[in-house]
Amino acid sequence: MKDLAAQNISFTNFKLIGFYNLGEWRPFCLFLFLMFLLAITANSIIIYLIKSQKSLHSPMYVLIGVMAVLDLILPIFFVPNMLLSFLFNWSGISLTGCLIQMFGIHFVGAFQSTLLLWMALDRYFAICKPLNYHKYMEIANFAKFVFVPLFRNGFLMVTMVSLAGKLSFCTDIIDHCLCEHMALVQLACGDTSINNIVGLLSAFIIPTTDFILVTISYIVIFTSVFRSVKVHLKAINTCITHIIVITLSLTSALIAFMSYRIRSNVSSSNRIFMSIIYILFPSCFNPIIYGWRTKELRRTFHELIKKRNVLPL
Protein backbone atom coordinates (compact mmCIF):
# COMPACT_ATOMS: atom_id res chain seq x y z
CA MET A 1 0.00 0.00 0.00
CA LYS A 2 2.88 2.37 0.80
CA ASP A 3 4.49 1.80 -2.59
CA LEU A 4 1.14 2.26 -4.34
CA ALA A 5 0.55 5.52 -2.52
CA ALA A 6 4.07 6.69 -3.29
CA GLN A 7 3.44 6.16 -7.00
CA ASN A 8 0.44 8.49 -6.89
CA ILE A 9 2.34 11.30 -5.17
CA SER A 10 4.75 13.65 -6.86
CA PHE A 11 5.36 17.06 -5.35
CA THR A 12 6.30 19.85 -7.76
CA ASN A 13 6.81 22.60 -5.18
CA PHE A 14 9.29 22.38 -2.32
CA LYS A 15 10.35 24.16 0.84
CA LEU A 16 14.03 24.77 1.59
CA ILE A 17 14.34 24.46 5.37
CA GLY A 18 18.11 24.59 5.65
CA PHE A 19 18.14 27.90 7.50
CA TYR A 20 15.77 26.61 10.13
CA ASN A 21 17.95 23.54 10.74
CA LEU A 22 21.27 25.37 10.88
CA GLY A 23 20.98 25.66 14.64
CA GLU A 24 24.16 27.07 16.10
CA TRP A 25 25.38 28.07 12.63
CA ARG A 26 22.40 30.35 11.90
CA PRO A 27 24.04 33.57 13.24
CA PHE A 28 26.91 33.02 10.79
CA CYS A 29 24.53 33.37 7.84
CA LEU A 30 25.11 37.13 7.93
CA PHE A 31 28.80 36.39 7.46
CA LEU A 32 27.91 34.34 4.39
CA PHE A 33 26.07 37.31 2.90
CA LEU A 34 29.16 39.46 3.55
CA MET A 35 31.13 36.81 1.63
CA PHE A 36 28.63 37.21 -1.21
CA LEU A 37 29.21 40.98 -1.29
CA LEU A 38 32.97 40.37 -1.23
CA ALA A 39 32.68 37.94 -4.15
CA ILE A 40 30.61 40.40 -6.21
CA THR A 41 32.95 43.32 -5.49
CA ALA A 42 36.30 41.54 -5.88
CA ASN A 43 35.35 39.69 -9.07
CA SER A 44 33.85 42.83 -10.61
CA ILE A 45 37.15 44.65 -9.99
CA ILE A 46 39.15 41.83 -11.61
CA ILE A 47 36.85 41.81 -14.64
CA TYR A 48 37.05 45.61 -14.98
CA LEU A 49 40.86 45.67 -14.73
CA ILE A 50 41.33 42.95 -17.34
CA LYS A 51 38.71 44.42 -19.70
CA SER A 52 39.93 48.01 -19.46
CA GLN A 53 43.70 47.44 -19.65
CA LYS A 54 45.06 46.32 -23.03
CA SER A 55 48.24 45.11 -21.34
CA LEU A 56 46.14 42.45 -19.60
CA HIS A 57 44.59 41.03 -22.77
CA SER A 58 47.04 38.11 -22.94
CA PRO A 59 45.65 34.54 -22.72
CA MET A 60 46.64 34.08 -19.07
CA TYR A 61 44.71 37.16 -17.91
CA VAL A 62 41.76 36.35 -20.16
CA LEU A 63 41.51 32.99 -18.38
CA ILE A 64 41.69 34.77 -15.01
CA GLY A 65 38.93 37.07 -16.26
CA VAL A 66 36.78 34.07 -17.23
CA MET A 67 37.35 32.64 -13.74
CA ALA A 68 36.17 35.95 -12.26
CA VAL A 69 33.03 35.82 -14.43
CA LEU A 70 32.26 32.30 -13.18
CA ASP A 71 32.93 33.35 -9.58
CA LEU A 72 30.54 36.27 -10.13
CA ILE A 73 27.78 34.13 -11.66
CA LEU A 74 27.85 31.16 -9.26
CA PRO A 75 26.63 32.92 -6.07
CA ILE A 76 23.84 34.63 -8.02
CA PHE A 77 22.22 31.25 -8.62
CA PHE A 78 21.45 30.69 -4.96
CA VAL A 79 22.41 33.56 -2.61
CA PRO A 80 19.47 35.90 -3.50
CA ASN A 81 17.04 33.04 -2.86
CA MET A 82 18.82 32.28 0.42
CA LEU A 83 18.62 35.96 1.39
CA LEU A 84 14.85 36.04 0.81
CA SER A 85 14.46 32.85 2.83
CA PHE A 86 16.59 34.19 5.67
CA LEU A 87 14.95 37.63 5.89
CA PHE A 88 11.33 36.97 4.93
CA ASN A 89 10.93 33.19 5.37
CA TRP A 90 10.27 32.80 1.64
CA SER A 91 11.46 29.20 1.46
CA GLY A 92 9.35 27.93 -1.43
CA ILE A 93 10.79 26.84 -4.76
CA SER A 94 9.24 25.04 -7.74
CA LEU A 95 10.65 21.86 -9.23
CA THR A 96 11.62 23.78 -12.37
CA GLY A 97 13.35 26.48 -10.31
CA CYS A 98 15.10 23.83 -8.26
CA LEU A 99 16.39 22.03 -11.36
CA ILE A 100 17.59 25.31 -12.91
CA GLN A 101 19.42 26.19 -9.70
CA MET A 102 20.89 22.68 -9.51
CA PHE A 103 22.16 22.82 -13.10
CA GLY A 104 23.62 26.31 -12.64
CA ILE A 105 25.48 25.43 -9.44
CA HIS A 106 26.89 22.12 -10.66
CA PHE A 107 27.68 23.22 -14.22
CA VAL A 108 29.48 26.40 -13.18
CA GLY A 109 31.32 24.41 -10.47
CA ALA A 110 32.44 21.88 -13.09
CA PHE A 111 33.42 24.75 -15.40
CA GLN A 112 35.63 26.17 -12.64
CA SER A 113 37.44 22.84 -12.30
CA THR A 114 38.00 22.64 -16.05
CA LEU A 115 39.14 26.27 -16.20
CA LEU A 116 41.90 25.45 -13.70
CA LEU A 117 43.02 22.77 -16.16
CA TRP A 118 43.10 25.33 -18.99
CA MET A 119 45.19 27.62 -16.78
CA ALA A 120 47.64 24.79 -16.18
CA LEU A 121 47.85 24.20 -19.95
CA ASP A 122 48.47 27.92 -20.48
CA ARG A 123 51.37 27.81 -18.02
CA TYR A 124 52.68 24.62 -19.65
CA PHE A 125 52.81 26.25 -23.08
CA ALA A 126 54.26 29.49 -21.66
CA ILE A 127 57.05 27.76 -19.71
CA CYS A 128 57.78 24.58 -21.67
CA LYS A 129 56.96 25.82 -25.20
CA PRO A 130 57.67 29.57 -24.99
CA LEU A 131 58.63 30.00 -28.66
CA ASN A 132 55.33 28.52 -29.82
CA TYR A 133 53.19 29.91 -27.00
CA HIS A 134 51.08 32.28 -29.11
CA LYS A 135 50.60 29.60 -31.75
CA TYR A 136 49.22 27.10 -29.21
CA MET A 137 47.08 29.75 -27.50
CA GLU A 138 45.38 30.96 -30.69
CA ILE A 139 41.63 30.45 -30.46
CA ALA A 140 41.58 27.90 -33.30
CA ASN A 141 44.27 25.74 -31.67
CA PHE A 142 43.23 26.20 -28.06
CA ALA A 143 39.63 25.28 -28.95
CA LYS A 144 40.85 21.70 -29.30
CA PHE A 145 41.54 21.64 -25.57
CA VAL A 146 38.26 23.42 -24.78
CA PHE A 147 35.65 21.42 -26.68
CA VAL A 148 36.06 17.97 -25.15
CA PRO A 149 35.98 19.05 -21.46
CA LEU A 150 33.00 21.36 -22.10
CA PHE A 151 31.09 18.59 -23.88
CA ARG A 152 31.90 16.18 -21.03
CA ASN A 153 30.71 18.67 -18.39
CA GLY A 154 27.54 19.62 -20.26
CA PHE A 155 26.58 16.02 -21.02
CA LEU A 156 27.03 14.84 -17.43
CA MET A 157 25.23 17.84 -15.91
CA VAL A 158 22.28 17.68 -18.34
CA THR A 159 21.96 13.92 -17.75
CA MET A 160 22.12 14.33 -13.98
CA VAL A 161 19.53 17.12 -13.84
CA SER A 162 17.22 15.46 -16.38
CA LEU A 163 17.16 12.20 -14.42
CA ALA A 164 16.45 14.11 -11.22
CA GLY A 165 13.55 15.92 -12.88
CA LYS A 166 11.88 12.64 -13.89
CA LEU A 167 11.65 11.35 -10.30
CA SER A 168 8.47 11.22 -8.24
CA PHE A 169 8.84 12.94 -4.89
CA CYS A 170 7.15 11.75 -1.71
CA THR A 171 7.82 14.88 0.32
CA ASP A 172 8.24 18.57 -0.37
CA ILE A 173 10.77 19.34 2.40
CA ILE A 174 14.36 19.86 1.22
CA ASP A 175 16.76 19.78 4.16
CA HIS A 176 19.07 22.37 2.63
CA CYS A 177 19.37 26.05 1.73
CA LEU A 178 19.82 25.30 -1.98
CA CYS A 179 18.99 22.62 -4.52
CA GLU A 180 22.00 20.35 -4.49
CA HIS A 181 21.60 17.15 -6.48
CA MET A 182 21.45 14.71 -3.57
CA ALA A 183 19.34 17.07 -1.46
CA LEU A 184 16.55 16.69 -4.04
CA VAL A 185 17.14 13.07 -5.08
CA GLN A 186 16.82 11.77 -1.54
CA LEU A 187 13.18 12.94 -1.53
CA ALA A 188 12.26 10.50 -4.32
CA CYS A 189 9.80 7.68 -3.71
CA GLY A 190 11.24 4.96 -5.92
CA ASP A 191 14.65 3.62 -6.87
CA THR A 192 17.34 6.28 -7.21
CA SER A 193 20.34 4.03 -7.93
CA ILE A 194 20.79 5.45 -11.46
CA ASN A 195 20.72 8.99 -10.06
CA ASN A 196 23.34 8.05 -7.47
CA ILE A 197 25.57 6.49 -10.12
CA VAL A 198 25.33 9.50 -12.43
CA GLY A 199 25.92 11.81 -9.46
CA LEU A 200 29.04 9.87 -8.47
CA LEU A 201 30.32 9.91 -12.05
CA SER A 202 29.74 13.66 -12.30
CA ALA A 203 31.38 14.30 -8.94
CA PHE A 204 34.48 12.20 -9.55
CA ILE A 205 35.09 12.10 -13.32
CA ILE A 206 35.19 15.87 -13.79
CA PRO A 207 37.35 17.06 -10.85
CA THR A 208 39.41 13.85 -10.68
CA THR A 209 40.25 13.84 -14.40
CA ASP A 210 41.04 17.55 -14.35
CA PHE A 211 43.18 17.16 -11.22
CA ILE A 212 45.19 14.29 -12.76
CA LEU A 213 45.83 16.28 -15.94
CA VAL A 214 46.76 19.38 -13.92
CA THR A 215 49.16 17.29 -11.82
CA ILE A 216 50.83 15.88 -14.95
CA SER A 217 51.15 19.41 -16.38
CA TYR A 218 52.81 20.73 -13.23
CA ILE A 219 55.19 17.77 -13.01
CA VAL A 220 56.38 18.60 -16.52
CA ILE A 221 56.46 22.34 -15.71
CA PHE A 222 58.52 21.94 -12.53
CA THR A 223 60.89 19.54 -14.32
CA SER A 224 61.43 22.20 -16.98
CA VAL A 225 61.70 25.04 -14.45
CA PHE A 226 64.44 23.44 -12.39
CA ARG A 227 66.54 23.12 -15.54
CA SER A 228 66.38 26.86 -16.22
CA VAL A 229 67.57 29.44 -13.67
CA LYS A 230 66.21 32.41 -15.62
CA VAL A 231 62.51 31.61 -15.29
CA HIS A 232 62.82 29.78 -11.99
CA LEU A 233 61.31 32.28 -9.54
CA LYS A 234 58.63 33.74 -11.82
CA ALA A 235 57.40 30.35 -12.96
CA ILE A 236 57.35 28.94 -9.44
CA ASN A 237 55.36 31.93 -8.17
CA THR A 238 52.78 31.62 -10.97
CA CYS A 239 52.37 27.89 -10.54
CA ILE A 240 52.08 28.13 -6.75
CA THR A 241 49.17 30.53 -7.23
CA HIS A 242 47.34 27.95 -9.34
CA ILE A 243 48.21 25.13 -6.94
CA ILE A 244 46.74 27.09 -4.02
CA VAL A 245 43.45 27.60 -5.89
CA ILE A 246 43.29 23.97 -7.05
CA THR A 247 44.00 22.63 -3.57
CA LEU A 248 41.39 24.85 -1.90
CA SER A 249 38.75 24.08 -4.53
CA LEU A 250 39.31 20.32 -4.55
CA THR A 251 39.51 20.03 -0.76
CA SER A 252 36.32 22.00 -0.17
CA ALA A 253 34.48 20.05 -2.88
CA LEU A 254 35.50 16.68 -1.43
CA ILE A 255 34.50 17.74 2.09
CA ALA A 256 31.04 18.80 0.92
CA PHE A 257 30.60 15.71 -1.25
CA MET A 258 31.65 13.18 1.37
CA SER A 259 29.78 14.90 4.20
CA TYR A 260 26.51 14.44 2.31
CA ARG A 261 26.99 10.69 1.97
CA ILE A 262 28.63 9.92 5.33
CA ARG A 263 25.83 11.17 7.51
CA SER A 264 26.63 9.19 10.63
CA ASN A 265 29.36 11.57 11.78
CA VAL A 266 28.13 14.82 10.24
CA SER A 267 25.04 16.63 11.46
CA SER A 268 22.58 18.19 9.04
CA SER A 269 23.48 21.73 10.13
CA ASN A 270 27.23 21.13 9.67
CA ARG A 271 26.67 19.56 6.25
CA ILE A 272 24.55 22.50 5.08
CA PHE A 273 27.06 25.05 6.35
CA MET A 274 30.00 23.23 4.68
CA SER A 275 28.10 23.05 1.39
CA ILE A 276 27.49 26.81 1.42
CA ILE A 277 31.13 27.48 2.28
CA TYR A 278 32.27 25.08 -0.46
CA ILE A 279 30.34 27.03 -3.09
CA LEU A 280 31.03 30.55 -1.80
CA PHE A 281 34.67 30.08 -0.74
CA PRO A 282 36.24 29.94 -4.25
CA SER A 283 34.15 32.90 -5.44
CA CYS A 284 35.48 35.04 -2.57
CA PHE A 285 39.12 34.00 -2.49
CA ASN A 286 39.97 33.31 -6.14
CA PRO A 287 40.09 37.05 -7.00
CA ILE A 288 42.04 37.81 -3.83
CA ILE A 289 44.58 35.07 -4.54
CA TYR A 290 44.96 36.00 -8.22
CA GLY A 291 44.76 39.73 -7.62
CA TRP A 292 47.26 39.80 -4.78
CA ARG A 293 49.74 37.19 -6.03
CA THR A 294 49.71 38.32 -9.67
CA LYS A 295 52.13 41.24 -9.94
CA GLU A 296 50.62 42.81 -13.07
CA LEU A 297 47.09 42.81 -11.68
CA ARG A 298 48.28 44.20 -8.36
CA ARG A 299 50.22 46.99 -10.07
CA THR A 300 47.30 47.85 -12.36
CA PHE A 301 44.96 48.07 -9.37
CA HIS A 302 47.35 50.37 -7.49
CA GLU A 303 47.68 52.61 -10.55
CA LEU A 304 43.89 52.79 -10.86
CA ILE A 305 43.56 53.82 -7.20
CA LYS A 306 46.23 56.50 -7.62
CA LYS A 307 44.49 57.94 -10.69
CA ARG A 308 41.19 58.09 -8.84
CA ASN A 309 42.84 59.85 -5.89
CA VAL A 310 44.43 62.57 -8.01
CA LEU A 311 41.31 63.31 -10.05
CA PRO A 312 39.66 66.63 -9.06
CA LEU A 313 36.27 66.40 -7.37
Side-chain angles (χ1 to χ4, degrees):
M1 292 295 293
K2 183 178 180 180
D3 292 338
L4 182 60
Q7 293 175 1
N8 295 326
I9 297 175
S10 183
F11 288 96
T12 56
N13 291 284
F14 303 92
K15 294 181 180 179
L16 295 162
I17 62 169
F19 274 117
Y20 306 104
N21 292 340
L22 277 176
E24 68 275 11
W25 291 110
R26 188 175 172 84
F28 288 91
C29 292
L30 291 176
F31 173 70
L32 297 179
F33 296 132
L34 292 177
M35 291 179 64
F36 171 66
L37 294 177
L38 173 62
I40 297 296
T41 303
N43 286 294
S44 297
I45 292 174
I46 294 292
I47 294 170
Y48 174 77
L49 290 176
I50 294 175
K51 183 178 182 300
S52 62
Q53 302 297 320
K54 292 184 179 180
S55 60
L56 299 178
H57 288 180
S58 64
M60 182 180 76
Y61 296 109
V62 170
L63 290 174
I64 293 177
V66 174
M67 176 66 79
V69 171
L70 295 178
D71 290 335
L72 186 66
I73 292 174
L74 184 57
I76 295 176
F77 276 109
F78 66 96
V79 172
N81 189 63
M82 287 170 52
L83 182 60
L84 292 175
S85 176
F86 181 73
L87 295 177
F88 305 108
N89 293 327
W90 294 354
S91 58
I93 188 170
S94 66
L95 176 60
T96 301
C98 190
L99 294 175
I100 292 174
Q101 187 183 82
M102 181 193 303
F103 178 81
I105 291 172
H106 291 292
F107 181 77
V108 175
F111 202 154
Q112 286 176 325
S113 171
T114 302
L115 187 59
L116 293 173
L117 170 61
W118 296 344
M119 288 180 171
L121 288 175
D122 171 79
R123 291 300 85 201
Y124 168 77
F125 292 136
I127 296 171
C128 300
K129 308 285 184 180
L131 297 180
N132 297 317
Y133 173 72
H134 293 288
K135 174 184 176 182
Y136 284 117
M137 294 305 295
E138 288 179 353
I139 294 178
N141 293 327
F142 193 68
K144 300 175 184 177
F145 303 99
V146 172
F147 177 75
V148 174
L150 277 184
F151 177 80
R152 173 201 64 182
N153 297 357
F155 176 77
L156 287 173
M157 294 302 111
V158 169
T159 302
M160 183 180 72
V161 174
S162 298
L163 289 174
K166 294 179 180 179
L167 294 172
S168 295
F169 302 99
C170 297
T171 178
D172 62 345
I173 303 300
I174 301 178
D175 187 14
H176 211 302
C177 299
L178 50 92
C179 286
E180 279 190 330
H181 177 245
M182 288 306 299
L184 180 65
V185 168
Q186 69 178 0
L187 307 183
C189 306
D191 181 30
T192 60
S193 56
I194 295 179
N195 301 84
N196 285 320
I197 291 173
V198 174
L200 286 170
L201 289 175
S202 301
F204 280 105
I205 286 182
I206 295 175
T208 302
T209 303
D210 292 344
F211 181 75
I212 291 173
L213 293 175
V214 168
T215 301
I216 293 173
S217 298
Y218 282 127
I219 289 174
V220 176
I221 288 172
F222 282 120
T223 301
S224 175
V225 163
F226 288 126
R227 292 175 182 173
S228 176
V229 179
K230 293 182 179 179
V231 297
H232 183 88
L233 293 177
K234 184 176 180 180
I236 289 292
N237 183 67
T238 303
C239 293
I240 286 177
T241 300
H242 294 162
I243 291 173
I244 290 172
V245 175
I246 292 170
T247 302
L248 292 176
S249 300
L250 184 62
T251 302
S252 58
L254 289 177
I255 290 174
F257 174 77
M258 297 306 297
S259 66
Y260 214 99
R261 285 163 171 78
I262 305 176
R263 303 176 191 174
S264 57
N265 297 324
V266 181
S267 68
S268 174
S269 60
N270 290 340
R271 172 169 49 80
I272 293 170
F273 187 76
M274 284 190 292
S275 294
I276 298 172
I277 290 295
Y278 144 65
I279 299 174
L280 270 181
F281 186 87
S283 295
C284 292
F285 291 97
N286 279 352
I288 295 176
I289 291 172
Y290 285 121
W292 181 254
R293 290 189 59 84
T294 305
K295 181 179 178 181
E296 289 79 3
L297 277 174
R298 189 169 64 246
R299 187 185 70 247
T300 303
F301 179 71
H302 288 162
E303 291 176 354
L304 178 65
I305 296 298
K306 290 180 180 178
K307 289 181 181 179
R308 294 296 176 91
N309 289 336
V310 298
L311 286 177
L313 295 177

